[in-house]
Amino acid sequence: MQSQPNIIQRAHRGDFTGLKFAGLVRLSFEINPDRERPEVPLTGADINNREEQERLCREYVESRGGIYIGTYDEPHTSAWKKKRITQPDGSYAYRVIRPVFEGMLSDLKKSSTNPKFFTPLNGYMPRTEIQGAIVYDVDRLTRDNRHLEDAIETVEFFNCPIIDITGTLDLLSENGRDMARVMVTMAGKQSAATSRRVKNIHNAMAREGIPVGGTRPFGWKADKRTADPEEKKLVVDAARDLLDGVNVNTVLKRWEKKGVQTPRGNFWVRSTFIHMITSPRMVGWRVHGPQNLPFHERYARDTEGNPIKAQYEALLDEKTWRAVVELLTGPDRPGAGEYTGKLKYMCSGIIRCGNCGSKLRGNAKAKNSHEYVCDGCRRVTGSGRAIDKLITALVLARLEQEELSVPPANWPKTEELTALEASKAGLLAQFKENPDMGSYIWPEVRKLEVEITKLTKERAAYLRKVTRSRRPNLVEAWPTLEVEQQRDICAENFEVVILNSATKGGNRFDETRLQVVYRQESSQYASAA
């Protein structure tokens, strides 16, 4: 076997006889020849697809007597864009994430390929000897100086040649390495300039409310501006059901039975659904904003902080949308911090043990029945059907006696919140004109933001309450309600339901074991007189 320094010298002369090379193929994006080319400028090897880069690298190696053993493939990978990562000490750093590139350098140092990143050519094993790497040009290797230094280290200290086929990359000599550093710096500058131009374009489009490219959003037609009538009805009905107390999973089960899919042709899952229905797009606002904000707050704003209306139709009114957002994302949302996955029965999570005070959970039994069992002492149990029947009778009797209270249509603190937001906008305008006043302005801004946040939460809770659909006769509608809706109604009418221990020798359920404490305030589900 030849010494490693000798391999570097031979590679520098262009003599690859008997040397085993692997190619690194990277694409920032890949052009599908069956589709129209994207309207973006193409440079370097971007015009070549994966197969073309691999073919050119293989021909280059084999024309000089080398052996091409396979490829390290990096599809849709940026060599410049940085992502935030968490350091071992908990701090954050920004790095270009390229596990395939780093895996290739690791394989070169060990002189053996790893099948996790390496795709062998026909006839070679996933784990095989590797002596060098080849790329199309320096842009395909890296646009990040930190990664370039890692590649130089692999060549200089581990004697593994990394070459290109255009002649622009030379890591085999000192002068070539210095020139590579300059070229990567300039390539990084070009990427930064391109990124700046793209950001400016997106900011301008956001100010004008112009929708961006990509897959059409659910609820709109292919033009991304006109609402799709069928999908709009699904969204409106889903929002109404959610505010009526229907669980997200129940909505998704209904959609699955109807065959409703995402624009990409997949069935809906909870996270995707919440992402969709809490999007500012629902109320016709232009979606745009930093990734560190909650998604429902990512919308373009004008100079006064008001939402920018987009060039597409709204599917929901703002009051309903805010209520849905608070219901699904608010810190005081129903079930927040609690596991609700097994609340299958009407009194699950409501009924408590008279012996130890723990909550009772529902257990399925034979013949489609169930029972409630104490999670604490496990000494108190009761027939699920009998308990549900009794609680249903009690809640319906109460609903028949109560009148439906209708709160005022407008939130009473609207003017107060508007005044606080105007004061904040005025302070920010003063800071923009006179930054030296920052030490006086920012403490006041923080005080206003605390009050604004408090009132915003109050408004969201109010809207969630008043936008809930009101049924004029819940007694008649009760059998058609979902279990979670019935549970919500019970929870709003009863402070607690207590199940005491059974007496020995009794087989039938004793109604006197149940103790009910009614809520003092009237229920928002109360039936009209």
Side-chain angles (χ1 to χ4, degrees):
M1 181 177 177
Q2 304 176 59
S3 66
Q4 290 296 90
N6 188 37
I7 292 177
I8 293 291
Q9 294 171 8
R10 288 181 52 198
H12 197 230
R13 295 196 304 267
D15 178 14
F16 301 165
T17 305
L19 300 182
K20 295 182 178 179
F21 279 82
L24 174 66
V25 175
R26 185 182 66 82
L27 293 173
S28 300
F29 56 86
E30 188 162 358
I31 297 173
N32 187 335
D34 297 329
R35 298 180 182 176
E36 185 180 353
R37 284 190 171 187
E39 296 300 327
V40 294
L42 304 178
T43 60
D46 281 330
I47 61 174
N48 300 305
N49 57 28
R50 178 195 182 283
E51 291 75 16
E52 181 70 5
Q53 288 189 49
E54 185 179 37
R55 180 185 66 80
L56 292 171
C57 290
R58 180 179 179 182
E59 289 179 354
Y60 187 87
V61 170
E62 293 178 346
S63 67
R64 286 158 176 76
I67 303 171
Y68 191 85
I69 60 174
T71 305
Y72 290 89
D73 194 4
E74 286 189 297
H76 307 289
T77 302
S78 171
W80 177 80
K81 187 175 182 180
K82 293 179 174 62
K83 296 181 180 179
R84 191 176 78 167
I85 62 173
T86 304
Q87 303 281 59
D89 62 355
S91 61
Y92 295 115
Y94 289 84
R95 298 287 186 269
V96 177
I97 307 300
R98 295 180 63 191
V100 176
F101 170 82
E102 293 169 358
M104 181 194 72
L105 296 185
S106 177
D107 290 353
L108 286 171
K109 295 173 184 178
K110 295 182 295 185
S111 300
S112 177
T113 58
N114 185 341
K116 181 179 180 180
F117 305 111
F118 176 71
T119 304
L121 207 61
N122 292 336
Y124 291 95
M125 300 296 291
R127 292 188 181 276
T128 187
E129 182 185 9
I130 180 175
Q131 296 171 298
I134 183 171
V135 295
Y136 182 84
D137 65 4
V138 65
D139 276 353
R140 300 304 92 196
L141 180 68
T142 182
R143 286 174 173 251
D144 177 62
N145 292 94
R146 184 177 284 107
H147 279 165
L148 175 64
E149 293 302 326
D150 292 340
I152 290 175
E153 175 190 275
T154 303
V155 175
E156 187 174 5
F157 297 102
F158 292 85
N159 298 303
C160 298
I162 299 177
I163 61 175
D164 74 333
I165 68 176
T166 62
T168 58
L169 176 67
D170 176 18
L171 301 183
L172 308 180
S173 66
E174 184 176 350
N175 288 336
R177 290 191 284 269
D178 289 339
M179 184 55 65
R181 292 184 176 100
V182 174
M183 294 177 64
V184 168
T185 299
M186 297 306 296
K189 182 178 183 300
Q190 180 187 19
S191 294
T194 301
S195 175
R196 183 181 65 254
R197 289 194 297 270
V198 171
K199 287 181 180 179
N200 290 339
I201 291 173
H202 278 282
N203 289 335
M205 293 175 66
R207 287 193 298 271
E208 298 298 325
I210 301 173
V212 296
T215 306
R216 73 167 184 88
F218 185 82
W220 286 267
K221 295 183 178 180
D223 62 2
K224 302 172 188 173
R225 290 171 169 82
T226 308
D228 183 285
E230 294 182 2
E231 293 183 353
K232 178 179 180 178
K233 185 177 185 304
L234 288 169
V235 171
V236 172
D237 291 346
R240 184 192 63 237
D241 289 340
L242 291 172
L243 296 176
D244 277 348
V246 178
N247 190 277
V248 170
N249 293 332
T250 302
V251 174
L252 297 185
K253 287 178 182 177
R254 294 175 181 173
W255 282 19
E256 186 172 353
K257 288 181 181 179
K258 295 179 181 179
V260 180
Q261 297 180 336
T262 68
R264 295 181 180 272
N266 303 316
F267 282 108
W268 289 89
V269 296
R270 182 183 178 88
S271 58
T272 307
F273 174 82
I274 292 177
H275 192 274
M276 177 272 295
I277 204 165
T278 59
S279 169
R281 184 186 300 273
M282 292 292 110
V283 287
W285 297 348
R286 176 59 161 82
V287 178
H288 182 73
Q291 298 295 314
N292 60 338
L293 287 177
F295 190 70
H296 59 274
E297 295 181 11
R298 296 183 204 167
Y299 53 86
R301 297 169 172 82
D302 58 22
T303 55
E304 297 180 357
N306 300 315
I308 292 179
K309 181 70 174 68
Q311 296 181 8
Y312 39 74
E313 300 179 31
L315 303 188
L316 299 173
D317 62 87
E318 184 180 347
K319 184 170 69 174
T320 300
W321 176 75
R322 288 191 181 277
V324 171
V325 168
E326 177 64 19
L327 177 70
L328 298 179
T329 66
D332 57 343
R333 63 188 182 276
E338 299 179 4
Y339 176 67
T340 59
K342 292 189 177 180
L343 298 184
K344 294 174 57 178
Y345 305 107
M346 190 181 76
C347 291
S348 296
I350 298 175
I351 190 169
R352 287 186 175 271
C353 174
N355 185 45
C356 68
S358 300
K359 289 184 178 181
L360 274 66
R361 59 180 173 86
N363 278 352
K365 296 182 67 177
K367 298 182 180 180
N368 199 29
S369 63
H370 63 282
E371 65 178 357
Y372 292 107
V373 182
C374 175
D375 259 343
C377 64
R378 298 187 179 275
R379 295 179 181 178
V380 176
T381 62
S383 168
R385 288 183 176 177
I387 292 174
D388 289 351
K389 183 178 180 180
L390 288 169
I391 295 301
T392 298
L394 289 174
V395 72
L396 293 183
R398 190 178 196 216
L399 292 175
E400 285 182 333
Q401 298 173 359
E402 292 185 347
E403 294 184 357
L404 184 65
S405 60
V406 180
N410 296 324
W411 182 51
K413 296 184 180 181
T414 300
E415 295 182 0
E416 182 179 351
L417 178 59
T418 302
L420 289 174
E421 290 176 338
S423 298
K424 177 184 173 182
L427 289 173
L428 294 177
Q430 291 180 29
F431 175 75
K432 187 175 181 180
E433 295 178 359
N434 189 1
D436 294 337
M437 295 292 293
S439 58
Y440 301 99
I441 292 175
W442 287 113
E444 297 300 320
V445 170
R446 283 194 292 270
K447 291 179 183 178
L448 290 174
E449 286 178 341
V450 171
E451 293 299 320
I452 290 173
T453 301
K454 179 181 177 181
L455 290 177
T456 301
K457 289 182 178 181
E458 289 183 14
R459 180 183 63 182
Y462 175 86
L463 291 176
R464 189 177 69 198
K465 180 178 179 180
V466 301
T467 53
R468 186 188 295 269
S469 298
R470 300 190 171 271
R471 302 176 183 273
N473 195 337
L474 276 174
V475 177
E476 294 181 2
W478 184 266
T480 66
L481 299 180
E482 299 289 346
V483 173
E484 57 263 28
Q485 292 177 288
Q486 295 175 348
R487 187 187 306 115
D488 286 347
I489 295 174
C490 291
E492 292 182 359
N493 280 272
F494 303 130
E495 192 70 47
V496 67
V497 177
I498 300 173
L499 180 64
N500 295 307
S501 302
T503 57
K504 294 183 178 180
N507 292 326
R508 296 177 61 85
F509 181 77
D510 184 4
E511 298 181 5
T512 60
R513 293 176 58 195
L514 279 179
Q515 179 183 353
V516 177
V517 179
Y518 289 97
R519 288 189 183 275
Q520 296 302 314
E521 65 273 15
S522 60
S523 168
Q524 65 180 344
Y525 284 99
S527 300

